[in-house]
Amino acid sequence: MELRHLRCFVMLSETLHFARAAERLEISPPALTKQIQEIERFLDVRLFHRTKRSVSLSSAGEVFLQEALRTLQQAARAEEAARRAGRGEIGKIEIGYIASAAYTGLLQTAIAGFRSSYPQVQLNLMEAAMDTLPLQVSNGSIDLAFVRPPVDCPADVMLTTLLTDEFVVALPLHSPLARQELLSAAALATQLFILPEQPAGTIEVGRRGRFVPRTMANPGGLVAVVTLVSLGQGVAIVPASVMETVNMPGVVYRRIAGKSIPGSIALASRRHEKSAVVRAFLQQLKQLKQR
């Protein structure tokens, strides 16, 4: 028994007239009669009482009608769910991010915009160590990741730049260097550097100042980095967004003289993404980037 059998049965149950039911179904009366006979043969029960002048449901037919209606309704829901999933309107996306993506406001804007357009898509977000995120995208543990290049990526993962910014230096409040509004790279040569997750800014400061930075182990996220700076443990080269969002006692931020040291936030995604809902997120971000 197929859905077409149920549709024929329900239509005949509603009209109790073979010719009218056949017309609405856009089939011939003999074809409708055949469909009903096939159902009754399959169930081994009479669903209708038929005379030359009337058609009425049997007691078995009345019970079967309720279940047939439920089945057709569920089938309709399943069809609609499949279509919506195919359009990327429902589903789930696993997203990884680094803290500085949130400090820039980019993460919040991207998530809020997508939720507004696709309210029934479940978004699961987690902060993670940046060097682990591209691999997680590749192996399917997560679908997308907000990272700060440069970062090593497997061959099947690509990076799309979403936002560009610059690096600044975080100093202990009582450091003599804090008295200057603009610091040269060379002025930092004797400092101990606390390495954030993305060391590119620190490396570039050393290159410009012609010294090899003395560094201490990465303590974790940017808040942990700035905390150590506030405790007088050293200085740190951090994204400018941190200067605007992490207002911690005992820390001052200063810009670095010369051409700004560029940084960026990028999205790590699979090159050949199959999920419609993930593709919808990527398309939404593309539109956001173009504004």
Side-chain angles (χ1 to χ4, degrees), residues 129-135 147-154 157 159 198 266 268:
M130 187 173 69
D131 58 357
T132 70
L133 288 172
L135 181 59
V147 298
R148 185 172 281 279
V151 59
D152 291 334
C153 292
V157 173
L159 295 179
Q198 176 50 269

Side-chain angles (χ1 to χ4, degrees), residues 14-193:
E14 292 175 352
T15 62
L16 296 176
H17 193 285
F18 272 86
R20 283 198 294 269
E23 182 180 2
R24 293 184 184 180
L25 291 165
E26 298 182 342
I27 61 176
S28 67
L32 175 58
T33 298
K34 182 181 178 182
Q35 298 289 322
I36 299 303
Q37 289 173 343
E38 287 177 354
I39 300 175
E40 291 179 327
R41 193 159 48 245
F42 178 79
L43 297 174
D44 193 24
V45 67
R46 293 292 296 273
L47 298 174
F48 295 95
H49 296 305
R50 298 186 278 274
T51 69
K52 290 183 178 180
R53 295 187 177 182
S54 68
V55 177
S56 62
L57 279 167
S58 68
S59 58
E62 291 176 354
V63 172
F64 186 63
L65 175 60
Q66 301 308 312
E67 298 302 326
L69 288 170
R70 291 191 186 97
T71 300
L72 290 174
Q73 290 166 358
Q74 180 58 45
R77 286 194 292 269
E79 290 174 6
E80 179 60 17
R83 292 191 181 99
R84 295 187 66 191
R87 295 192 297 265
E89 296 176 2
I90 58 175
K92 180 175 69 172
I93 306 177
E94 302 287 344
I95 300 174
Y97 67 92
I98 56 170
S100 63
Y103 296 149
T104 63
L106 174 65
L107 181 65
Q108 293 88 333
T109 301
I111 297 303
F114 187 77
R115 279 185 170 147
S116 176
S117 299
Y118 298 88
Q120 294 191 350
V121 174
Q122 179 182 340
L123 299 178
N124 297 329
L125 293 99
M126 66 169 189
E127 184 180 355
M130 187 173 69
D131 58 357
T132 70
L133 288 172
L135 181 59
Q136 290 185 66
V137 172
S138 177
N139 66 28
S141 299
I142 60 176
D143 298 302
L144 302 165
F146 290 81
V147 298
R148 185 172 281 279
V151 59
D152 291 334
C153 292
D156 62 337
V157 173
M158 64 179 184
L159 295 179
T160 303
T161 300
L162 302 174
L163 176 149
T164 57
D165 57 8
E166 63 177 307
F167 287 97
V168 297
V169 56
L171 299 161
L173 177 63
H174 299 298
S175 168
L177 295 175
R179 299 170 190 159
Q180 304 178 42
E181 290 300 318
L182 198 64
L183 289 172
S184 68
L188 298 167
T190 61
Q191 301 299 306
L192 176 64
F193 287 81

Side-chain angles (χ1 to χ4, degrees), residues 189 206 210-214:
R210 297 185 180 182
F211 65 91
V212 177
R214 292 187 304 119

